Amino acid sequence: MALPWKLHGDGKTVGVSDVVAPDERMTWPRTIGIGAQHVVAMFGATFLVPILTGFPPSTTLLFSGIGTLLFLLITRNKLPSYLGSSFAFIAPITAATATAGMGSALFGIVVVGALLAIVGVIVQLTGTGWIDALMPPVVAGAIVALIGFNLAPAARDNFDKAPLTALITLLAVILCTVIFRGILGRLSIFLGVIVGYIAAVLFGQVDFSSVADAAWFGLPEFNSPDNPFTNPAVLGVLPAFLPVVLVLIAENVGHIKGVAQMTDPSVNKQTGRALMADGLATVLAGFGGGSATTTYGENIGVMAATRIYSTAAYWVAGIVAIALGLSPKVGAVINTIPPGVLGGVTTALYGLIGIIGVKIWLDNKVDFSRPVNQFTAATALIIGIANFTFSIGTLTFNGIALGTIAAIVIYHLMNWVGRLRGTL
C-alpha cells in the first residue's frame, strides 16, 4: 500500500518562503529527525503532568503516543498535531486523588473525554459558531487563566521543600528562554528540568534505587477508573472536572486555527474530527491509567520554527512515545525527579498557563473598559485563585468549577440585562 505523503521538492531542503504541507514529507531520514524533535518538544511537559499528579509516567507516555496515532487516523492525516498530557487536569486530578483515590480521578478523565468527543460530533455537524457564542474571548481567557493561577499553592509547596534546587531550576528555565534561539529556546521547561535535576543529584536529593530495579522493556502500570454504580462517591469529583471540557475545546480550536493560518484554511474543517479524536484519546487514557490528552502548543511551535507541517513526522513521534512507554526504566528515571525541581519548574509553568488566558484577551483585543468584561474576568479570577468551594450533598464544586460557571453566567447575564435596559 502506498504511503499517503508525497515528497516536498527534493525532500532535502525547504525554501525560504515554502511550507511543507500535512500531506507532504521530507526524505525519511529527515522526517525521522523532525519526528525526534517533536518527541523532545512534548516530552518535558508530558512527563511533568503524571509526576505532579502521581500517575505512572510510562503509562502516560504510552497513551500519549497511542492517542496521537488515533488522532492522525481520525483526522485523516490532514491535521498535524501531538496529543500530550493536559495541564488543565492537574488541579481536579490532585483534588480527586486526595479525597477519593486515583480511580475517581480516572473516572473524571473518562467523563471529560466522552463529553469532548460528543462536542466534536456536534461541531462536525453544526460548525464552531455556537462555541464562539458560549465562550467569547473574555470568558475563554478567564477560564484558562484561573486554572493556571489556581495551581499556585501547589507550586509553592514543592518550592518550599528544597528552595535552592527550586531556585536553580526556575532560573534555568528563565535563562534558557533567552539564551537559546529556535527550538532550544522553545524547550526551556525541559532544559530547566535537566539543569535542576543535575543540581538535585549534586545535593544528594535524588534516589536512584528504583531505577536499578526497573526492567528495560515491559508493560507499564495500568489502572482503571472507579465504577460509579458500585462507588457513587466518585460522582462527587465530577464538578471539578467538567470545566476542563471548555479548556480542551479552546485549546484544540486555537491550535487548529494556528495550523490553518500557516498551511491551508481547509484545515479548519477538521475541527470536529480533532475534538472527537482528542476526546476518544482521553477516554482511552482514562481507562488505562494515563493522563488526559490535548493538542500541544510546544509541537505547534516546532512546526512554526521548521515550517514542516508533515503528519508523517507525527507518526514517527507517536511511535517513539509508545516505545518509551514500554520501558519501565524510563518511567523509573522520570519518577526520581525530586520536589525541588518540580517546585521551580511549576512556579513558571503554572504562571504561564495563567498568562495564556491573558494572551487570549490580548490577541482578541478584549475591551476592558466595558463593565461586562471587567466583572466577568475579575470575579472568575478571584474565585479561581482563592479556590472558593461550594457543596451540595456529596457534590463539591471547587474554585475552577465555580470560576468557570461564574465567567459564563456573569457575561451572558450582564449582556442580557444590559440589552433589556439599554445600558450596553
Side-chain angles (χ1 to χ4, degrees):
M1 183 181 70
L3 294 175
W5 305 279
K6 58 180 179 287
L7 202 63
H8 177 85
D10 63 2
K12 298 178 181 179
T13 57
V14 181
V16 175
S17 59
D18 287 355
V19 169
V20 179
D23 63 345
E24 297 179 322
R25 65 171 177 83
M26 307 300 288
T27 61
W28 280 113
R30 288 170 174 78
T31 296
I32 291 171
I34 295 296
Q37 282 194 75
H38 283 301
V39 171
V40 174
M42 71 81 184
F43 193 81
T46 294
F47 80 68
L48 267 179
V49 175
I51 287 293
L52 295 169
T53 56
F55 279 28
S58 293
T59 311
T60 291
L61 286 172
L62 175 66
F63 281 107
S64 76
I66 293 173
T68 297
L69 301 189
L70 179 65
F71 183 93
L72 294 170
L73 286 172
I74 293 176
T75 58
R76 300 179 295 183
N77 262 337
K78 294 183 178 180
L79 183 58
S81 191
Y82 189 89
L83 294 189
S85 304
S86 172
F87 282 89
F89 283 86
I90 293 176
I93 287 176
T94 302
T97 302
T99 57
M102 181 183 292
S104 68
L106 293 174
F107 173 71
I109 290 173
V110 169
V111 171
V112 168
L115 289 175
L116 184 62
I118 292 171
V119 170
V121 173
I122 296 172
V123 168
Q124 191 67 20
L125 296 174
T126 65
T128 60
W130 64 274
I131 294 176
D132 298 331
L134 176 66
M135 287 195 307
V138 65
V139 173
I143 294 171
V144 174
L146 68 86
I147 285 179
F149 296 143
N150 176 268
L151 291 164
R156 177 206 59 209
D157 291 345
N158 275 324
F159 200 107
D160 288 345
K161 292 177 181 177
L164 181 56
T165 302
L167 182 59
I168 291 172
T169 304
L170 178 58
L171 285 174
V173 170
I174 293 169
L175 292 176
C176 286
T177 305
V178 293
I179 289 174
F180 299 112
R181 301 178 186 273
I183 182 63
L184 286 179
R186 296 180 182 276
L187 298 177
S188 58
I189 295 291
F190 182 61
L191 296 176
V193 169
I194 292 176
V195 172
Y197 188 84
I198 293 172
V201 171
L202 295 176
F203 295 152
Q205 298 170 356
V206 180
D207 180 7
F208 289 106
S209 59
S210 61
V211 178
D213 297 333
W216 279 104
F217 303 102
L219 291 174
E221 174 188 346
F222 293 112
N223 293 285
S224 59
D226 284 347
N227 186 339
F229 296 104
T230 58
N231 183 16
V234 302
L235 296 174
V237 309
L238 283 184
F241 280 88
L242 297 181
V244 179
V245 177
L246 302 178
V247 178
L248 295 181
I249 292 171
E251 286 179 341
N252 276 274
V253 172
H255 291 163
I256 293 166
K257 288 181 178 178
V259 173
Q261 185 176 5
M262 290 298 296
T263 57
D264 183 351
S266 66
V267 169
N268 286 310
K269 296 179 182 178
Q270 300 297 317
T271 300
R273 287 177 172 272
L275 293 171
M276 280 189 282
D278 190 10
L280 292 175
T282 294
V283 169
L284 186 62
F287 272 118
S291 298
T293 62
T294 187
T295 52
Y296 252 28
E298 290 88 341
N299 297 93
I300 304 293
V302 171
M303 291 190 292
T306 62
R307 302 193 307 282
I308 298 175
Y309 289 79
S310 171
T311 53
Y314 283 99
W315 279 93
V316 172
I319 292 169
V320 171
I322 291 172
L324 291 174
L326 294 174
S327 174
K329 186 79 73 176
V330 172
V333 171
I334 295 172
N335 268 323
T336 62
I337 298 174
V341 175
L342 299 178
V345 74
T346 55
T347 296
L349 192 60
Y350 293 164
L352 287 175
I353 297 171
I355 294 301
I356 289 172
V358 176
K359 186 176 183 294
I360 291 174
W361 295 335
L362 294 175
D363 290 347
N364 291 277
K365 298 180 173 60
V366 174
D367 183 4
F368 279 107
S369 67
R370 296 186 63 213
V372 170
N373 292 337
Q374 291 173 1
F375 280 101
T376 297
T379 307
L381 285 178
I382 290 299
I383 291 174
I385 293 170
N387 199 30
F388 285 26
T389 57
F390 179 72
S391 297
I392 304 175
T394 60
L395 297 178
T396 298
F397 296 81
N398 69 355
I400 292 176
L402 294 175
T404 299
I405 294 169
I408 294 173
V409 171
I410 290 171
Y411 178 83
H412 290 289
L413 178 62
M414 290 185 71
N415 271 296
W416 177 66
V417 174
R419 282 193 296 269
L420 286 179
R421 296 289 298 162
T423 55
L424 288 179

